Amino acid sequence: MARPLLRTLVLGLCLAGAALLMVACVATSKHEPERHTHQLQGQTSHYAGGIVSQTNAERRKAGLRDLSIDNELTAAANQRARELVSRFSHTRPDGRSYETVLRECHVSAYKSWGENILYNMSEDPADAMRSWMNSSGHRANILGRDFTHIGVGVYRSGGKVYVVQLFLGRGAGGG
């Protein structure tokens, strides 16, 4: 059976030094109400867990330490994933930069940060990771030596899966 067509929109920004890279752009303004079913929450949690596992696998291949999951950072990533439905950008819907969500979610004591965002039609986290790893800016975030923590947010709306990776560097580097 042929793989379903994967449509991705991928942007990466690493404030620790990597360049912003835009791979493709498909605009959307459709917004569906947030769904709160146990099944969807479980699927979202599974998707986010797959992203974290695959991120750490890529880091191990590069000789880097695994990133630790941070609960506040995960809350910030989930907030950003919901925001992407109305404005797919590193700029938040109210015009502020994405890093302002860190303070709002009580993330503190960090030296560096970065964000990867994506939306696609696939329910397989491996498709998201392939897209990011094939983009130099996103790959730089995933393999960032200064990053020590990760938060992954996932939100589904209008048949799309919106995914955010937030990275933080706290203390010693990851390599």
Side-chain angles (χ1 to χ4, degrees):
M1 179 163 65
R3 281 185 96 156
L5 176 62
L6 172 67
R7 289 186 233 162
T8 60
L9 176 61
V10 189
L11 287 173
L13 174 67
C14 177
L15 295 179
L20 173 64
L21 179 65
M22 185 164 140
V23 176
C25 184
V26 179
T28 182
S29 61
K30 185 175 180 181
H31 180 68
E32 285 185 354
E34 190 169 352
R35 300 179 206 153
H36 291 287
T37 66
H38 293 295
Q39 181 183 7
L40 184 58
Q41 288 173 354
Q43 290 170 350
T44 299
S45 176
H46 174 76
Y47 195 106
I51 295 289
V52 171
S53 294
Q54 291 178 39
T55 297
N56 282 331
E58 293 293 342
R59 290 178 63 83
R60 284 191 296 276
K61 283 190 230 174
L64 301 169
R65 291 185 202 141
D66 284 3
L67 299 173
S68 300
I69 297 171
D70 180 278
N71 291 334
E72 287 81 16
L73 194 57
T74 298
N78 278 309
Q79 175 63 34
R80 288 288 298 129
R82 286 188 301 275
E83 291 175 355
L84 294 179
V85 175
S86 62
R87 184 173 185 169
F88 192 88
S89 171
H90 292 289
T91 303
R92 298 180 72 190
D94 64 6
R96 295 178 297 153
S97 181
Y98 80 86
E99 70 264 14
T100 59
V101 76
L102 300 176
R103 284 186 301 279
E104 290 173 12
C105 292
H106 310 290
V107 177
S108 60
Y110 53 90
K111 296 179 180 182
S112 57
W113 60 93
E115 176 182 69
N116 285 347
I117 61 176
L118 171 140
Y119 82 77
N120 67 40
M121 309 301 273
S122 173
E123 290 294 323
D124 185 354
D127 291 332
M129 283 303 297
R130 259 189 304 280
S131 293
W132 279 329
M133 291 304 289
N134 286 327
S135 159
S136 61
H138 298 96
R139 184 180 181 89
N141 274 347
I142 290 166
L143 302 179
R145 289 185 149 317
D146 292 336
F147 294 139
T148 56
H149 292 79
I150 189 170
V152 175
V154 179
Y155 185 73
R156 289 173 172 80
S157 178
K160 296 180 179 82
V161 181
Y162 295 84
V163 188
V164 174
Q165 288 179 309
L166 287 177
F167 302 93
L168 286 184
R170 290 184 171 140

